């Protein structure tokens, strides 16, 4: 039994957007499920697309999501270095193997000549293939020219992708592609094959944009006498509307933005894992451990999965409810309204517990709790906008609030006492709870939502509750 080794191999060209996380998540899940290793490798050979700080951002994002790696940057490991720009000698050695076998050659052509080949192919109505123009006597490779692969056998390749199924492509997919560029750095096509082999990767899991290149990779594996790993291409994540792949240009947000918007990493993982995958049951909410236990590549859908942000919001609310209060308290540290600055931990935890079930994102905290910490301003338009309450006259409102004030003034103010007092008020005023309690809620909070009325009043305390009801009466 070989131990599974999977990898995520991002290029430091910017932030990780949500459409790309599955290329990290699925290999991570597989490695964790099978007791294997998950390797992180930074593919930084494309100097033109390199973005300063992108690597740090990617690592921070993976750490926040909890996608921990066994080997890679910040960790080390016995197959390093894990940055491709630090592995130039390794690529040279593998390139030399190909040169020695007569399977690589120095590309003697300049851009004008290649352009002429292209135009020739176009005028002859055939696809441009570099191998049709392979030079007869290429110069010795001195590193200043690109080094090209000399594809040894033009044939049809068939392979089995655990997600996409049995696939096959013919000679049109094979060509003499560049192995090492004239800047001395390898291309992705060459470097990732060398690295995956050197690092003992058993499953290569990446996006669908690579599928048409797989025959090229297979021809190179053959030339280098490397056993094929399992090759997996993941279907695209589709933008919410239209029929195109979700990309940064359609507003695919970075994972860090979701973090700032108050999403939990476990909700993000649940959402992303179950976009285009299910365990065969109706289950929708999965903990991290459940995902690890239940994930399988053969239940990943072949068709593109649609990005549905409403579902993410719903899942986030579900995961917020599952947290114990101490855990939730730590997660919301940066989300309290400024009015809560001087409140003590016990008070804040009590209030947090009251609003936990109502929170969809951590960012909801200020609107749900601000009135606990700061005197709200009466806003009578909220009464007028309320279907039930707008039927009450100002006189009725005044009578109800005065009765409430007097009754609560005599309450011992535990949640049970308050509930008893409120129940008696329903009798004395002969009103429905939907009306009377909504009115009292607004009078003490002037907020669109609040928890159960007795809990809200208890958390506010007797003095504050009475003062606010009086203020409401005064402002009538
Ligand atoms: N560096 C490639 C990218 O960022 C990785 C593709 C792969 O996983 O092999 O798209």
């Amino acid at each position: 039994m070989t131990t599974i080794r999977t990898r995520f191999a991002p290029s430091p060209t910017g932030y990780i957007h949500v459409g790309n996380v599955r290329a990290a998540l699925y290999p991570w899940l597989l490695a964790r499920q099978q007791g294997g290793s998950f390797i992180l490798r930074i593919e930084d050979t494309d100097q033109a697309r390199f973005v300063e700080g992108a690597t740090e951002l990617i690592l921070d994002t993976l750490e926040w999501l909890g996608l921990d790696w066994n080997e890679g940057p910040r960790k080390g490991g016995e197959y390093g270095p894990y940055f491709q720009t630090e592995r130039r000698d390794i690529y040279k050695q593998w390139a030399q193997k190909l040169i020695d076998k007569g399977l690589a050659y120095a590309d003697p052509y300049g851009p004008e000549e290649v352009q002429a080949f292209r135009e020739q192919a176009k005028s002859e109505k055939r696809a441009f293939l570099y191998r049709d123009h392979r030079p007869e006597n290429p110069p010795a490779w001195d590193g200043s020219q690109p080094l090209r692969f000399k594809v040894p056998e033009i044939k049809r390749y068939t392979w089995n992708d655990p997600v996409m199924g049995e696939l096959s492509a013919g000679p049109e997919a094979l060509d003499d592609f560049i192995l090492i560029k004239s800047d001395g750095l390898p291309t992705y096509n060459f470097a990732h094959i060398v690295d995956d082999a050197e690092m003992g990767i058993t499953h290569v899991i990446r996006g669908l944009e690579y599928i048409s290149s797989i025959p090229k990779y297979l021809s190179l594996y053959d030339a280098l006498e490397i056993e094929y790993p399992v090759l997996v291409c993941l279907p695209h994540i589709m933008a919410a509307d239209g029929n195109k792949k979700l990309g940064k240009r359609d507003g695919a947000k970075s994972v860090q933005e979701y973090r700032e918007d108050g999403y939990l990493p476990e909700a993000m993982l649940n959402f992303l894992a179950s976009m285009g995958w299910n365990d065969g049951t109706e289950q929708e909410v999965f903990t991290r451990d459940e995902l690890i236990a239940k994930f399988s590549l053969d239940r990943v859908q072949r068709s593109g999965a649609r990005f549905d942000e409403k579902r993410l919001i719903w899942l986030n609310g579900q995961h917020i409810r599952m947290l114990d209060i101490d855990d939730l308290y730590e997660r919301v540290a940066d989300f309290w309204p400024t009015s809560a600055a001087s409140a003590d931990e016990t008070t804040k935890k009590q209030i947090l517990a009251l609003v936990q079930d109502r929170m969809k994102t951590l960012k909801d905290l200020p609107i749900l709790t601000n009135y606990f910490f700061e005197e709200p301003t009466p806003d009578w338009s909220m009464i007028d906008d309320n279907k039930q309450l707008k039927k009450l006259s100002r006189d009725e409102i005044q009578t109800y609030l005065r009765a409430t004030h007097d009754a609560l003034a005599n309450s011992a103010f535990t949640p049970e006492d308050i509930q008893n007092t409120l129940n008696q008020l329903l009798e004395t005023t002969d009103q429905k709870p939907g009306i009377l309690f909504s009115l009292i809620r607004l009078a003490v909070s002037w907020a669109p939502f609040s928890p159960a009325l007795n809990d809200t009043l208890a958390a506010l305390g007797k003095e504050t509750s009475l003062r606010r009801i009086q203020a409401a009466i005064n402002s009538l």
Side-chain angles (χ1 to χ4, degrees):
M1 272 289 284
T2 48
T3 321
I4 282 198
R5 289 174 61 86
T6 61
R7 52 47 158 204
F8 179 50
S11 300
T13 55
Y15 59 79
I16 310 191
H17 78 70
V18 284
N20 285 342
V21 181
R22 288 193 318 177
L25 173 58
Y26 287 177
W28 178 81
L29 286 172
L30 205 61
R32 293 293 166 263
Q33 178 182 76
Q34 308 281 325
S37 292
F38 177 61
I39 288 95
L40 180 60
R41 176 174 78 228
I42 304 297
E43 303 204 324
D44 56 350
T45 61
D46 191 347
Q47 304 279 305
R49 294 176 63 220
F50 180 82
V51 172
E52 197 62 49
T55 300
E56 293 304 302
L57 196 62
I58 291 170
L59 303 184
D60 292 347
T61 300
L62 293 173
E63 278 179 2
W64 178 71
L65 286 168
L67 302 182
D68 56 330
W69 53 99
N70 302 82
E71 298 165 28
R74 294 184 185 166
K75 263 266 162 70
E78 50 177 312
Y79 297 88
Y82 294 92
F83 287 83
Q84 287 186 325
T85 46
E86 293 169 21
R87 301 173 61 80
R88 292 173 210 235
D89 291 345
I90 300 173
Y91 307 124
K92 287 259 160 65
Q93 286 161 23
W94 284 82
Q96 194 58 48
K97 277 194 204 177
L98 290 172
I99 295 171
D100 294 347
K101 290 172 96 177
L103 294 179
Y105 61 90
D107 178 344
Y109 303 119
E112 292 87 16
E113 284 158 299
V114 177
Q115 189 53 30
F117 296 153
R118 269 183 206 286
E119 274 157 26
Q120 189 190 337
K122 203 172 157 193
S123 70
E124 292 168 13
K125 295 204 166 36
R126 58 176 170 82
F128 169 66
L129 285 170
Y130 207 93
R131 58 180 162 82
D132 293 338
H133 306 274
R134 197 180 275 167
E136 263 171 45
N137 291 306
W141 184 55
D142 64 10
S144 71
Q145 322 93 324
L147 184 71
R148 279 196 187 261
F149 179 44
K150 185 172 170 185
V151 55
E153 201 186 346
I154 307 301
K155 64 171 199 181
R156 173 161 286 275
Y157 276 97
T158 303
W159 72 102
N160 188 46
D161 178 318
V163 172
M164 303 310 288
E166 180 101 344
L167 298 168
S168 151
E172 72 289 346
L174 301 174
D175 202 6
D176 288 4
F177 56 86
I178 295 181
L179 302 167
I180 299 196
K181 297 171 286 179
S182 54
D183 66 4
L185 285 165
T187 55
Y188 166 76
N189 288 343
F190 181 48
H192 87 276
I193 291 205
V194 168
D195 290 340
D196 286 341
E198 287 262 345
M199 296 179 180
I201 302 302
T202 58
H203 293 65
V204 173
I205 302 174
R206 60 190 147 191
L208 197 61
E209 56 276 27
Y210 293 94
I211 202 162
S212 61
S213 302
I214 302 284
K216 287 194 180 68
Y217 306 151
L218 296 177
S219 66
L220 187 55
Y221 283 125
D222 285 348
L224 291 169
E225 294 166 56
I226 297 171
E227 208 181 306
Y228 307 160
V230 180
L231 297 168
V232 185
C233 287
L234 299 176
H236 294 311
I237 291 183
M238 309 300 285
D241 40 52
N243 203 13
K244 58 177 177 176
K245 171 181 158 190
L246 179 75
K248 290 188 184 179
R249 261 171 253 132
D250 326 288
K253 291 200 278 183
S254 75
V255 175
Q256 295 291 347
E257 275 175 89
Y258 284 100
R259 174 187 189 170
E260 285 156 19
D261 285 346
Y263 289 86
L264 302 179
E266 52 268 59
M268 296 292 302
L269 292 187
N270 187 164
F271 173 66
L272 293 164
S274 57
M275 209 184 325
W277 169 85
N278 63 63
D279 71 342
T281 72
E282 298 286 294
Q283 184 172 351
E284 291 203 68
V285 181
F286 293 89
T287 63
R288 187 185 299 266
D289 287 342
E290 286 173 325
L291 288 175
I292 292 174
K294 297 183 175 179
F295 179 72
S296 69
L297 281 174
D298 56 15
R299 292 204 58 88
V300 175
Q301 277 168 28
R302 263 180 222 182
S303 55
R306 201 162 287 281
F307 190 85
D308 176 2
E309 205 162 49
K310 286 209 193 81
R311 187 158 179 274
L312 170 60
I313 294 175
W314 176 78
L315 278 171
N316 202 54
Q318 299 297 313
H319 281 274
I320 289 176
R321 284 177 195 203
M322 285 156 67
L323 298 178
D324 70 52
I325 199 69
D326 293 322
D327 190 355
L328 180 58
Y329 183 72
E330 275 176 31
R331 313 261 198 139
V332 298
D334 295 334
F335 291 90
W336 288 103
T338 40
S339 56
S342 59
D344 61 55
E345 181 174 331
T346 317
T347 310
K348 279 161 65 180
K349 277 192 184 161
Q350 182 193 4
I351 290 167
L352 189 59
L354 290 181
V355 301
Q356 178 169 16
D357 284 1
R358 275 217 163 255
M359 289 172 80
K360 297 264 189 302
T361 72
L362 305 182
K363 239 187 172 172
D364 291 339
L365 195 59
I367 184 142
L368 292 175
T369 63
N370 193 40
Y371 62 88
F372 283 106
F373 305 106
E374 188 174 70
E375 226 51 22
T377 313
D379 174 3
W380 292 94
S381 71
M382 295 182 85
I383 302 266
D384 299 333
D385 292 343
N386 181 301
K387 250 196 268 145
Q388 304 260 30
L389 298 181
K390 71 176 175 198
K391 294 182 200 146
L392 298 177
S393 70
R394 291 294 193 253
D395 276 349
E396 284 171 304
I397 291 177
Q398 182 163 27
T399 310
Y400 294 149
L401 290 180
R402 197 157 287 298
T404 307
H405 185 280
D406 294 347
L408 287 174
N410 292 319
S411 160
F413 238 73
T414 65
E416 301 76 55
D417 292 326
I418 297 171
Q419 194 57 54
N420 290 336
T421 309
L422 292 173
N423 291 343
Q424 281 161 22
L425 269 170
L426 289 176
E427 283 173 30
T428 51
T429 59
D430 197 21
Q431 255 309 349
K432 289 186 270 210
I435 293 183
L436 185 67
F437 292 177
S438 302
L439 176 67
I440 304 171
R441 264 165 202 254
L442 275 180
V444 296
S445 70
W446 299 102
F449 321 101
S450 54
L453 181 56
N454 61 332
D455 290 331
T456 305
L457 294 172
L460 286 170
K462 188 168 183 171
E463 200 191 313
T464 304
S465 300
L466 294 177
R467 186 177 64 243
R468 290 189 183 179
I469 294 168
Q470 188 59 53
I473 296 169
N474 296 347
S475 78
L476 255 171

